[in-house]
Amino acid sequence: MAVALAMSLSAVGGAANAAVPGPDVCELAEGELSVQDLPAGSSVILCDAIGRTVTHDGTGVTVPEPGMTVSVDMLTADGEAHGFTLEVGTDGKVAYDLGDGVVDTSTDGYDRPGSSNPDPASDIPAEPDTVVDPADTAEGTEVADVDAAAAPSACSDGAYSTADRKEYGTYNWYVGDGGMPGGLSRTDAKWAFMDAINNITDSYNNCGYGDTVGAKQNYLSTTSREASVNSKGQCTGRDDLSVWDAGDLKSSAVATTCTYTWSMPGVKNDLREADVRFNTHDYDFTNKPTSSCSNKYDIRSVGTHEAGHIFGLGHVGSGHSNLTMYTNSFTCKTIARTLGKGDVLASAASIRRTHEPVGANDASASGDSHAAAGCGLHIGEQQRWR
């Protein structure tokens, strides 16, 4: 056994695991740990677990210090949702969320002062998993943004889920070291990533919903740092910089997002850092899918999905393939750049800048998501250069 306990603990199970009384004695084996090795209710202090890697469902996170939460969300080629959340309470006790988020309409909170940032231009060697994607030479007219016929249209599908995190201030981010998806220069990658993030912060959609969210983002600079995600798709720990980059991930992952939050009892946890990595080792990307596109993922579609995770949007599963937060991002398609009804409602529920609760007025038939109408959203003309 990886853990020797002086008292028995119930097995880990279910989508969310609240903290339970922990062991008096805890001895961890060397190497990676599972959620069974470090059960909910264990003390990261007694177990000396801070900095250790805990794995679940093909993903992994590094155990943070007390009062912090880390989440990993993986966008996969097979459309299966992979990821989980590990929270360490201020008392050092572990709790897990092993499934998709649920609607949490708490909106109160405040932005806490961050710790001093390390110099982003410091000369830190690139990680060995940096991969350079071949330059994208796409020519011709970009493919049209068309709904898939096998699912409800994006503007009629109100399914959504949210996670327990919120950016109360401004999401400040960097473009990391090494090659970029689609062989883009770091400058062109900056604009592609910025457009993807703005799709979330501006609630960009074709459904007539105006932007009532008011989320903020700010690009800072390039950096010699890389996203804190390793080649296994595991979150390797917080370094106070939110970095977007590309490199090697496990072969099933198209992209992975790691988020770090401060625990905020009674309201959504406060986002402190979020890193995004595109898998250019196993997949090709393009910033302009055309009719000649073949097996390439659209950078801005994938980026919009990952930005959704940063701002607290969760996955929606089977039957919702026209929404941005669907568990798969289709090759040579641009539909995920544009939010659907459920994506807009999720944004309103998760990052809306008002103290009014955002309600869910009608239930989705899907068990892993929610549907809503109204939610204080107004109809208006949305103008934005694409």
Side-chain angles (χ1 to χ4, degrees):
M1 289 292 293
V3 181
L5 304 180
M7 58 181 290
S8 63
L9 291 173
S10 57
V12 173
N17 298 276
V20 296
D24 294 325
V25 179
C26 180
E27 296 179 1
L28 300 177
E30 295 182 358
E32 294 181 351
L33 307 171
S34 69
V35 295
Q36 287 79 24
D37 295 330
L38 188 69
S42 300
S43 169
V44 300
I45 299 171
L46 287 176
C47 296
D48 194 22
I50 298 173
R52 299 290 301 274
T53 299
V54 174
T55 63
H56 174 72
D57 194 28
T59 60
V61 300
T62 299
V63 178
E65 65 270 24
M68 291 293 298
T69 298
V70 56
S71 300
V72 56
D73 290 286
M74 185 177 291
L75 179 64
T76 61
D78 62 8
E80 295 294 326
H82 296 277
F84 72 107
T85 295
L86 187 159
E87 180 170 6
V88 181
T90 54
D91 60 357
K93 298 292 182 66
V94 172
Y96 294 103
D97 183 345
L98 303 181
D100 283 334
V102 297
V103 171
D104 174 358
T105 57
S106 58
T107 55
D108 291 334
Y110 60 94
D111 198 27
R112 298 185 182 182
S115 58
S116 58
N117 286 341
D119 180 4
S122 58
D123 188 18
I124 298 175
E127 296 177 3
D129 59 1
T130 297
V131 178
V132 178
D133 203 20
D136 182 16
T137 57
E139 296 181 355
T141 304
E142 192 168 81
V143 296
D145 180 357
V146 179
D147 283 350
S153 69
C155 291
S156 66
D157 191 349
Y160 71 95
S161 69
T162 63
D164 183 16
R165 60 178 165 270
K166 178 182 176 74
E167 174 54 83
Y168 290 101
T170 299
Y171 174 61
N172 296 301
W173 59 281
Y174 298 82
V175 170
D177 187 62
M180 293 290 120
L184 296 181
S185 68
R186 294 169 89 184
T187 297
D188 288 341
K190 171 192 72 176
W191 293 116
F193 297 158
M194 186 181 298
D195 193 64
I197 299 170
N198 282 336
N199 287 340
I200 299 295
T201 60
D202 295 344
S203 293
Y204 180 73
N205 68 92
N206 291 329
C207 305
Y209 293 116
D211 176 18
T212 64
V213 173
K216 298 178 181 179
Q217 63 88 18
N218 180 43
Y219 166 74
L220 293 177
S221 70
T222 57
T223 175
S224 56
R225 298 290 182 96
E226 297 191 351
S228 299
V229 188
N230 66 18
S231 60
K232 297 179 181 180
Q234 299 171 344
C235 304
T236 57
R238 180 182 170 207
D239 64 359
D240 288 323
L241 267 68
S242 295
V243 176
W244 287 57
D245 72 2
D248 191 8
L249 295 171
K250 62 183 304 180
S251 60
S252 60
V254 177
T256 295
T257 296
C258 294
T259 55
Y260 300 86
T261 59
W262 269 335
S263 296
M264 302 276 286
V267 296
K268 287 183 176 293
N269 288 347
D270 185 9
L271 182 71
R272 306 313 305 162
E273 180 181 330
D275 294 325
V276 174
R277 171 159 292 175
F278 289 69
N279 183 358
T280 51
H281 183 271
D282 299 291
Y283 301 100
D284 292 326
F285 294 84
T286 178
N287 199 33
K288 184 181 179 182
T290 65
S291 58
S292 62
C293 176
S294 177
N295 293 322
K296 292 184 177 182
Y297 286 94
D298 175 45
I299 295 170
R300 283 178 280 169
S301 290
V302 173
T304 303
H305 179 102
E306 300 308 309
H309 287 310
I310 291 172
F311 287 94
L313 280 63
H315 282 133
V316 293
S318 178
H320 307 291
S321 57
N322 288 316
L323 295 179
T324 296
M325 298 311 296
Y326 181 57
T327 51
N328 192 0
S329 183
F330 302 105
T331 58
C332 302
K333 301 290 185 182
T334 61
I335 185 172
R337 296 182 187 178
T338 307
L339 305 191
K341 178 181 179 181
D343 304 311
V344 174
L345 297 177
S347 296
S350 189
I351 54 179
R352 179 181 169 94
R353 288 187 178 279
T354 174
H355 295 295
E356 299 174 2
V358 180
N361 298 328
D362 60 292
S364 166
S366 169
D368 67 348
S369 56
H370 294 70
C375 297
L377 298 173
H378 67 272
I379 303 297
E381 182 178 3
Q382 184 120 3
Q383 295 181 339
R384 184 177 174 193
W385 177 83
R386 302 300 296 167

